[in-house]
Amino acid sequence: MIRVVVRGAAAAAALLAFAGPAGAQSLLASRGLGYPLEPLDARARGLGGLTTGLAEPVPSFINPASAAGIPAAAFVVAVQPDHFSASGPGGVDASGSTVRFPLLLGVFPVSQRLAVQVGYGSYLDQHWQAQQTDSITLSTGKVEVNDRFVSSGGVARLQGGLAYRLTERLSLGVSADVLTGAAHDSTVREIGGLQTAESGVTNTYSGVMGGVGVRWQPGTAFSASAALHGGGRIRAHSESDSTSLETKDYTSPVRADVGASGRLNERTVLAASASWTGWSSLNDELAGSGGARDAASVTAGVEYTGFSFARKAIPLRLGARYAQLPFRWSGADTAYPTERAISAGLGWSFGGRAAMLDAAAERGWRGGSAAGIDEPYWRLSFSLQVLGR
Amino acid sequence: MLPSSVRARAVLALLPLLAAACTDDTPTLTGDPFFPGGGRPVTLELIVPAAQFMQPLGVFQGYESGRTFNSLVVANQYQGVLNAHVLQNYDVPDTLTYSQGGVTKTDAAYSIRSARLVVAVDSLASFRAPITTLQAYRLAQAYDPATVTWTLAVDSGAVHTPWTEPGGTRGALLGSAPWAHATSDTIVVPLDTAAARAMRPDSAGGVLLATAQAGTRLQISSTVLRLELKPSNGERDTTITLNVQPGTSGFIFTPDPALAAGTLSAGGVLAARTLFGLDLDQPLPGCAPPTTCAAVRLKDVDLNRVSLLLKPLPSPAGFDPLQPLPLTLWTITEPELGRRAPLGHLAGDPQLIGQALSQYALFTPGDTLVEVPLTLQAQDAVTRDTLQLNFALLGEAPPAGTTSGRTFGVARFDAQPRLRFVYTLHTRPELP
């Protein structure tokens, strides 16, 4: 137990030390409450973004029941380099890259039936910036100004959960999430020949939500899971120089996930999941920025463990994903964007399976012509899971 | 094969390297529609009349004199009033010592084949007269270079010896040469060789430089007495050029520049300065006209520029600056000391100190408006919440008191300057 905590903490500290400020994963980070991020590890990404449904006990931010029956303490950390380029009408032509850490999660078995998990996961990304060159008229004549608005930050989830193996076939889980984070909005105006003006506002986000999960394993060849999160509200508080400016409450959307996996043969597992998030509950609250809709997604993937290298089994994964995104890119007369992706991944165990390194590459397309933006992207995922045995 | 624990640690080490290898690049949207509501800066300008912010504390001069000026000035009824003469002493040696063929020789019987006074003119600081004839006279009366004035050859303690002729008692004309502006920066005045041979620092006078034409003003950077000597004991056709620097050199002028009531003065040969209090605590409009809204305070905005707008007035007759004059604002902490109020620090960009004059606020002859910035000082005052400030306006570049950037002419401004604020309201981007 102590060893896994130490290893996990070391990995987390090392990653965070090098993390630095993250850039955006999408231009859509500038819309609504930001670009939704899923706290998934690289194995799930390789399977198309599978949110739940795997048979064996694994740490999961989505389904708190997923960890039930885990044989030893585990710590998983994921890192996600990303690059995208976006284009669209109105002079939209931008690209960005970032390295993000969507998941830090530890699971500790208390008994053969009960496990406790605690973790930190990404939720909403608000990294983006806008600029505009213009001119203003002073008593001395027209002077050029260059304005830049930078939003840096987002919302994350701090989660604690319990997983309980009720029977050999049925496991249950509950979780509580504290929403936390902040976005610093800074504005810079450069005026030719004059001093630059800078001001900033910090928007802090807070809230709580709860979650429940279930995993059902009627036999060794099939497993089904489901999870539900939601409740509470997201409170945004804006302040500058310790002066409170604005406070706004948003409904915390309900999210439902279902997933299943089946073993086609000894070496092949087929998995699929679907999720739905009730973002439309924020439609009125976000009416000024284009509203919000409910967003559903489906994923499917296959994992093959028959390949080996250096006498080690190397699991290979393929997956695909289709998702609706909740916030419009443009005005109310445009369609909501979607996200499509295909992915591939593999895994490598170390130290007598004490550590597992997974990697995934994802090629995706966001937006759509009716949505007013096209944003193809590459997303890599790496995750390290360390077991305390 | 490495132990598995070592390999696991290696993986841990690889992850941060992987992360560090990737750089963040935040995407940038271009265009006004992409700014959130309230996220676009608004810049406004306010010009405040003097009565609203200014408290005059006095106009003073005499911090410097002609003796500490970095050049020499010669003038003849310039603008109908100004006269100035250069007074110099040269020490032409009794004995010539030179080396020839590896042998050092001494000669007290050498002869002067030619004598020329080579005068370097600061043409930018000199009046553009069609022709200016520089005259070199022998001074017919002894004087004290440390105390000499236009009317007194000696003005030391109890000794007050007037010039027989105000401005320096002239003896014989040693030579003269014409100078046309823009043709050359050097005037070569041929001198009488016998007179040159007699030049000694302890002689009755020395050399007086004047201009022949009324309405001329000439600024001189340097002079040298260039002699072509023929030794009496040298080999045939031996000629030696000897450059003699002036032992003492200065100029006297009359009258002093007048300080006119109700004006601001800065710079000039007597280093005029204007002291005033300034109240920065001005209410600023929170929106551009014709919209009306509540005023905002200085601490609630970003100051892009705070400056004094000065309206030039004609300089005192004879003392118009013929070249750009740097204007600087200095803080003063004890204004009650009046003309003796010590200067604090330069109000402006401290990095300016030591920079080229062109980096400063310059009053150039012909300007109808001069802007002297004090933005950084104002920003600092807002931070310290001390918005009542006292300044001295000087007509020279720092460090104060040196000859850097000083001009003979003095700048004079209307006593009702204006205070200009260019400021940007703090943005308040709306929550989504």
Side-chain angles (χ1 to χ4, degrees):
Chain A
M1 173 76 87
I2 293 173
R3 192 171 55 171
V4 73
V5 171
V6 171
R7 283 181 181 175
L15 284 167
L16 290 174
F18 283 84
Q25 285 200 329
S26 169
L27 280 190
L28 294 164
S30 64
R31 293 296 174 258
L33 284 183
Y35 174 69
L37 298 170
E38 292 188 313
L40 299 176
D41 63 10
R43 184 187 182 195
R45 282 282 167 206
L47 291 169
L50 189 80
T51 57
T52 188
L54 291 174
E56 67 271 28
V58 289
S60 168
F61 220 91
I62 305 293
N63 188 352
S66 181
I70 200 163
F75 190 91
V76 61
V77 55
V79 58
Q80 208 170 68
D82 175 281
H83 177 79
F84 71 89
S85 56
S87 61
V92 175
D93 182 12
S95 62
S97 58
T98 185
V99 177
R100 189 168 296 284
F101 299 86
L103 177 65
L104 294 168
L105 185 60
V107 176
F108 309 98
V110 178
S111 69
Q112 287 188 336
R113 288 181 179 273
L114 181 65
V116 177
Q117 74 175 34
V118 60
Y120 197 79
S122 55
Y123 187 42
L124 292 163
D125 176 20
Q126 294 184 356
H127 283 90
W128 62 283
Q129 63 180 16
Q131 68 176 21
Q132 173 71 4
T133 299
D134 208 339
S135 65
I136 58 173
T137 302
L138 301 175
S139 59
T140 51
K142 274 195 171 183
V143 293
E144 184 179 288
V145 298
N146 186 23
D147 294 340
R148 193 166 66 250
F149 174 85
V150 180
S151 171
S152 177
V155 187
R157 296 163 61 181
L158 181 62
Q159 187 183 81
L162 296 173
Y164 188 74
R165 188 159 194 162
L166 197 61
T167 68
E168 283 297 311
R169 294 181 175 181
L170 186 64
S171 299
L172 302 175
V174 294
S175 66
D177 286 64
V178 175
L179 299 178
T180 181
H184 182 70
D185 291 350
S186 62
T187 308
V188 176
R189 166 163 280 189
E190 295 169 339
I191 308 177
L194 306 186
Q195 293 283 318
T196 297
E198 294 185 49
S199 59
V201 169
T202 299
N203 302 326
T204 55
Y205 292 89
S206 59
V208 293
M209 65 179 176
V212 294
V214 60
R215 187 183 66 206
W216 180 55
Q217 294 169 290
T220 56
F222 180 76
S223 175
S225 300
L228 187 69
H229 289 272
R233 297 184 70 77
I234 304 171
R235 168 160 289 189
H237 178 69
S238 172
E239 69 173 37
S240 174
D241 297 331
S242 303
T243 303
S244 181
L245 301 175
E246 186 183 5
T247 299
K248 199 168 175 181
D249 282 341
Y250 303 93
T251 305
S252 183
V254 173
R255 172 176 173 139
D257 288 87
V258 295
S261 62
R263 187 166 289 282
L264 301 181
N265 57 44
E266 192 177 330
R267 294 173 174 173
T268 309
V269 172
L270 183 66
S273 70
S275 72
W276 174 90
T277 308
W279 287 106
S280 66
S281 60
L282 286 79
N283 187 48
D284 291 342
E285 293 149 0
L286 295 174
S289 55
R293 69 161 171 180
D294 295 340
S297 70
V298 291
T299 64
V302 60
E303 183 175 67
Y304 176 70
T305 54
F307 177 72
S308 63
F309 178 74
R311 290 186 291 179
K312 283 184 182 298
I314 306 292
L316 303 177
R317 302 167 190 124
L318 290 174
R321 177 169 185 259
Y322 173 83
Q324 298 171 325
L325 295 175
F327 308 121
R328 279 195 182 90
W329 168 249
S330 289
D333 55 340
T334 57
Y336 281 94
T338 60
E339 185 173 290
R340 294 157 290 132
I342 55 174
S343 59
L346 51 77
W348 199 329
S349 65
F350 296 85
R353 302 187 71 81
M356 186 76 184
L357 178 65
D358 292 297
E362 188 177 341
R363 175 59 169 165
W365 298 266
R366 293 188 194 101
S369 57
I373 185 172
D374 282 306
E375 190 178 80
Y377 68 91
W378 281 100
R379 180 157 58 195
L380 304 179
S381 296
F382 302 91
S383 63
L384 179 71
Q385 179 174 307
V386 183
L387 290 175
R389 52 180 180 186
Chain B
M1 184 68 107
L2 289 169
S4 59
S5 60
V6 174
R7 278 177 282 155
R9 289 189 187 115
V11 171
L12 287 178
L14 281 175
L15 277 174
L17 291 178
L18 174 71
C22 305
T23 56
D24 286 321
D25 179 16
T26 301
T28 303
L29 295 160
T30 302
D32 185 61
F34 298 112
F35 283 73
R40 195 77 197 274
V42 174
T43 299
L44 301 171
E45 182 178 26
L46 175 69
I47 295 178
V48 183
Q52 207 168 313
F53 71 90
M54 183 146 174
Q55 181 195 358
L57 297 174
V59 182
F60 308 100
Q61 66 180 11
Y63 298 93
E64 303 290 341
S65 68
R67 275 185 286 277
T68 61
F69 193 61
N70 56 352
S71 298
L72 305 168
V73 176
V74 182
N76 184 347
Q77 288 295 303
Y78 177 66
Q79 295 184 335
V81 293
L82 177 69
N83 288 295
H85 293 159
V86 168
L87 305 179
Q88 296 183 313
N89 273 310
Y90 290 93
D91 184 7
V92 176
D94 290 330
T95 303
L96 174 66
T97 301
Y98 66 102
S99 180
Q100 193 168 49
V103 178
T104 300
K105 299 179 179 179
T106 303
D107 181 14
Y110 69 89
S111 59
I112 300 177
R113 285 190 161 182
S114 72
R116 292 166 293 169
L117 191 63
V118 181
V119 178
V121 178
D122 185 345
S123 56
L124 293 176
S126 299
F127 180 66
R128 293 170 176 268
I131 195 78
T132 302
T133 301
L134 184 65
Q135 299 170 314
Y137 289 92
R138 180 172 181 172
L139 264 173
Q141 184 177 349
Y143 70 101
D144 176 14
T147 61
V148 62
T149 67
W150 185 261
T151 54
L152 297 174
V154 181
D155 185 17
S156 175
V159 181
H160 305 282
T161 309
W163 288 109
T164 305
E165 175 189 344
T169 306
R170 304 184 209 198
L173 179 65
L174 301 176
S176 66
W179 176 75
H181 202 281
T183 56
S184 169
D185 285 340
T186 304
I187 308 174
V188 179
V189 183
L191 299 181
D192 176 77
T193 55
R197 187 72 171 87
M199 286 182 180
R200 298 286 184 277
D202 57 351
S203 64
V207 176
L208 180 150
L209 299 181
T211 54
Q213 293 85 5
T216 53
R217 193 176 105 190
L218 198 66
Q219 189 155 315
I220 295 171
S221 304
S222 65
T223 61
V224 63
L225 179 61
R226 185 162 297 158
L227 305 174
E228 299 290 334
L229 307 179
K230 178 172 176 52
S232 61
N233 56 356
E235 295 175 3
R236 188 180 176 188
D237 295 332
T238 297
T239 303
I240 294 171
T241 300
L242 181 66
N243 288 322
V244 182
Q245 302 294 335
T248 62
S249 182
F251 70 99
I252 51 178
F253 61 93
T254 190
D256 281 349
L259 290 177
T263 63
L264 312 180
S265 292
V269 64
L270 301 184
R273 67 178 62 164
T274 300
L275 275 52
F276 56 90
L278 197 154
D279 181 5
L280 282 176
D281 193 10
Q282 303 293 327
L284 306 173
C287 53
T291 312
T292 56
C293 54
V296 294
R297 306 287 297 273
L298 245 64
K299 65 183 178 62
D300 298 323
V301 302
D302 278 332
L303 293 173
N304 303 109
R305 190 168 185 89
V306 180
S307 53
L308 273 181
L309 301 178
L310 303 173
K311 180 184 174 187
L313 295 176
S315 295
F319 292 89
D320 56 328
L322 298 175
Q323 62 190 129
L325 181 153
L327 292 170
T328 51
L329 278 177
W330 296 77
T331 60
I332 50 172
T333 53
E334 296 176 277
E336 62 276 9
L337 293 179
R339 65 170 289 110
R340 291 185 175 78
L343 297 180
H345 57 268
L346 181 67
D349 187 348
Q351 294 178 340
L352 272 179
I353 294 177
Q355 295 297 306
L357 291 183
S358 59
Q359 301 295 310
Y360 294 88
L362 287 177
F363 164 58
T364 303
D367 282 348
T368 55
L369 184 72
V370 183
E371 184 174 22
V372 184
L374 57 132
T375 312
L376 296 182
Q377 186 67 34
Q379 289 173 334
D380 183 60
V382 171
T383 304
R384 296 167 181 267
D385 200 20
T386 52
L387 299 176
Q388 317 298 321
L389 304 173
N390 294 303
F391 289 107
L393 175 70
L394 270 65
E396 58 196 75
T402 70
T403 58
S404 172
R406 286 180 61 199
T407 61
F408 181 78
V410 58
R412 187 178 277 178
F413 302 99
D414 188 279
Q416 302 293 311
R418 292 172 297 159
L419 186 60
R420 180 187 185 214
F421 292 95
V422 180
Y423 57 99
T424 300
L425 303 176
H426 288 168
T427 56
R428 297 286 183 254
E430 298 165 2
L431 286 165

